[in-house]
Amino acid sequence: EDGAEQLPYLGAVYALLVHGEVLFSGSQNKEWGPVNAWCLKTRKHVASLLGHGDAVMCLSSRANQLYSGSWDATVRVWDASSYTCLRVLTSDAGPIVSLCALPLVCVAVGVDEIHVMTDRALSQTHESKTHASRTHVIKDDESSVNSTRFQNEEEE
């Protein structure tokens, strides 16, 4: 159709998140960006959030921030209104397959590890003495982020 809007090809969609009047999708497509924003009122594609190097497996939000976890071993923090990337958190433990942004921490689940990440500007995360085995540092360009690694009891 002449003048028809070209929609992004998403490939497999692994995550959906509604934030206000926007539906965010996390998918495997890298060309259009594995994170896409859709206006729920107009039902139109409004933005492709570029930056991840592999499939986005999970999405979460807190306040006006969107968190995307990827198979590229990063969690990206986005401004949910302007769709700009605010920071990139890199895990040395492999792909991020699930995450949950809470008021003071972001919990990110890797293939075999759980990270509880808190920015230095937020209150410190308390480690669980029964489950925490060691602390990982998840790196970004500006500062380190405190992270607690949890293991299965069989590994301890």
Side-chain angles (χ1 to χ4, degrees), residues 5-43:
E5 177 186 7
Q6 184 180 6
L7 296 175
Y9 169 76
L10 301 178
V13 174
Y14 300 113
L16 295 172
L17 175 80
V18 173
H19 183 82
E21 296 180 356
V22 178
L23 170 69
F24 290 97
S25 62
S27 68
Q28 70 181 22
N29 187 281
K30 293 177 255 183
E31 181 183 343
W32 281 89
V35 180
N36 283 275
W38 311 82
C39 178
L40 292 173
K41 279 187 172 182
T42 64
R43 297 181 182 200

Side-chain angles (χ1 to χ4, degrees), residues 74-75 77 86-91 118-120 137-146:
T74 66
V75 173
V77 183
L86 303 174
R87 64 191 314 198
V88 179
L89 309 173
T90 303
S91 170
T118 178
D119 193 316
R120 282 194 265 190
V137 175
I138 294 185
K139 305 170 186 97
D140 77 31
D141 294 337
E142 298 171 17
S143 64
S144 63
V145 175
N146 295 325

Side-chain angles (χ1 to χ4, degrees), residues 24-79:
F24 290 97
S25 62
S27 68
Q28 70 181 22
N29 187 281
K30 293 177 255 183
E31 181 183 343
W32 281 89
V35 180
N36 283 275
W38 311 82
C39 178
L40 292 173
K41 279 187 172 182
T42 64
R43 297 181 182 200
K44 294 193 183 250
H45 181 257
V46 293
S48 293
L49 287 67
L50 303 173
H52 280 294
D54 211 333
V56 168
M57 306 303 294
C58 48
L59 299 168
S60 188
S61 66
R62 176 176 66 204
N64 195 42
Q65 294 180 336
L66 171 72
Y67 292 73
S68 57
S70 174
W71 202 255
D72 68 6
T74 66
V75 173
R76 287 185 178 262
V77 183
W78 308 87
D79 182 293

